[in-house]
Amino acid sequence: MTTADDAILLEAENWVRSGRRAALATVVETWGSAPRPVGSRILVDDQGHFLGSVSGGCVEADVISAALDAVETGKPRLLEFGVADETAWRVGLSCGGKIKVYVERIDGC
Amino acid sequence: MLAKNLFALNAEIALRRPAILVTDLAAGAQRLVRRDEAGRDQLAGVLEQSFQSGASGVVTVDGAQLFIHVHLPCVRLVIVGAVHIAQVLAPMARLAGLEVAVVDPRTAFASPERFPEVDLIAQWPQDALPALRLDRRTAVVLLTHDPRIDDPGLVAALDADCFYIGALGSKKTHAKRIERLRAAGIGPAALARIHAPVGIDIGALTPPEIAVSILAELIAAQGRKALRAEEAA
């Protein structure tokens, strides 16, 4: 953990306590030269504001879009990005890495 | 994630206590396991090992894919000596993701003007360090050159088994330091844990360069990844 990782969780608590609807996305598995380690998080609110990173910029747009869905539906999702996948090039994970990202809404207060 | 799990996790982090978040990636079920609860958990073996290694990852238990997310206390740097090197080292260490505190009883040195945005404690190390609760996730660097200030900090860091302990000073200064500490009853194994002269040897001259060499040595001391030289061997 770094202070930056801790800060995201603290901010998530602030958002939830102040009534902001939000989702967390977490890197759960990586292969190859993935840019961010397992456990890295991104916090997204229902307006698309976000903090943190799961890939150093490559797949953030898709993750944020999935997080917005999760805020609406409440359904968690497991996303996979990698070189074997055409979308990996499109979204920019061209570094040869592969990552799985778990997206979940923060529920109840 | 349930808000109550989030709040409970933040509470553990604030107390510098390790915790694990276990998430069933298919079902979405999630729970928080505190360090002292791991032993009697249904996943005791996996959780104990994860707390030891600090590594997060996915495990398969009874066909279920579980994400074991280990949260260890943030790595912290306590700098004894509000000197010029500390003025550079503190912000650099913060950028590298460390929590930083600076301790120096000399208020002319430990002034907020010299150390904006740093947890600054204008007290003697023997008074300040107990409240900081040094632990294995803490690094301590001693920079004053003054044994009356450095030595109590050094002893506290050795007692707490801090993962990195560095002390500024030449080989000659360090030899005298070793003599003093030996006379005070510190054993050879503990004395060997002190990095002195502090920092990796990159020919650093200026305070920012010395800060880089200290930060590099501190990062290496965490041993989170095999070094390229080790992989080749």
Side-chain angles (χ1 to χ4, degrees):
Chain A
M1 296 292 287
T2 67
T3 49
D5 294 323
D6 292 351
I8 287 172
L9 291 176
L10 280 177
E11 198 57 22
E13 177 162 348
N14 289 338
W15 287 13
V16 171
R17 287 195 190 277
S18 64
R20 264 165 100 171
R21 301 197 304 153
L24 270 173
T26 309
V27 176
V28 299
E29 277 187 282
T30 66
W31 296 264
S33 59
R36 294 278 287 134
V38 168
S40 303
R41 283 185 171 112
I42 188 168
L43 171 68
V44 184
D45 77 0
D46 60 355
Q47 303 299 308
H49 298 116
F50 70 96
L51 275 180
S53 70
V54 288
S55 75
C58 319
V59 303
E60 261 69 11
D62 280 27
V63 171
I64 289 165
S65 148
L68 289 170
D69 285 347
V71 170
E72 286 309 316
T73 65
K75 283 193 189 122
R77 273 179 69 193
L78 191 58
L79 308 174
E80 192 170 337
F81 303 94
V83 282
D85 182 344
E86 261 306 299
T87 61
W89 273 105
R90 182 172 62 73
V91 298
L93 198 67
S94 52
C95 43
K98 192 171 147 191
I99 61 173
K100 273 190 192 175
V101 179
Y102 183 72
V103 184
E104 59 187 324
R105 183 170 75 184
I106 305 173
D107 281 318
C109 190
Chain B
M1 179 189 288
L2 292 174
K4 71 173 175 100
N5 282 338
L6 172 65
F7 301 166
L9 176 56
N10 278 335
E12 294 304 297
I13 290 170
L15 290 167
R16 292 186 66 78
R17 289 199 302 226
I20 290 178
L21 205 54
V22 181
T23 306
D24 185 323
L25 293 178
Q30 196 170 57
R31 62 202 179 85
L32 182 72
V33 182
R34 292 170 184 82
R35 184 66 190 91
D36 58 356
E37 297 165 345
R40 53 181 188 276
D41 194 273
Q42 68 213 49
L43 296 173
V46 171
L47 296 178
E48 285 290 348
Q49 201 188 350
S50 300
F51 274 123
Q52 290 292 328
S53 70
S56 301
V58 176
V59 297
T60 305
V61 179
D62 297 332
Q65 287 221 301
L66 304 178
F67 178 49
I68 308 294
H69 195 168
V70 184
H71 295 79
L72 296 180
C74 158
V75 176
R76 185 173 52 163
L77 169 62
V78 175
I79 302 171
V80 175
V83 298
H84 195 168
I85 295 169
Q87 284 180 281
V88 205
L89 179 57
M92 278 184 188
R94 282 187 45 167
L95 285 173
L98 279 77
E99 197 180 304
V100 180
V102 175
V103 177
D104 197 319
R106 303 167 298 178
T107 48
F109 285 84
S111 75
E113 294 76 34
R114 287 164 51 82
F115 290 88
E117 296 174 40
V118 166
D119 184 10
L120 189 62
I121 306 160
Q123 291 176 6
W124 289 88
Q126 55 270 43
D127 300 326
L129 297 182
L132 288 175
R133 294 196 295 176
L134 303 185
D135 55 30
R136 289 180 181 191
R137 303 271 297 166
T138 305
V140 175
V141 174
L142 307 125
L143 300 177
T144 71
H145 275 129
D146 183 339
R148 287 174 305 163
I149 306 174
D150 278 356
D151 286 6
L154 204 42
V155 170
L158 288 169
D159 280 347
D161 202 16
C162 292
F163 77 90
Y164 175 80
I165 304 168
L168 189 70
S170 64
K171 282 184 179 165
K172 205 172 145 193
T173 305
H174 188 57
K176 286 187 198 158
R177 179 186 290 133
I178 292 284
E179 278 315 307
R180 286 194 307 276
L181 294 172
R182 193 178 287 149
I186 311 277
L191 294 175
R193 296 202 51 234
I194 303 168
H195 293 266
V198 71
I200 60 168
D201 194 5
I202 53 171
L205 283 172
T206 65
E209 290 169 358
I210 295 166
V212 167
S213 82
I214 295 172
L215 196 51
E217 191 169 54
L218 185 162
I219 290 167
Q222 293 177 58
R224 286 169 307 173
K225 184 179 161 187
L227 303 180
R228 286 193 292 271
E230 292 168 356
E231 280 175 345

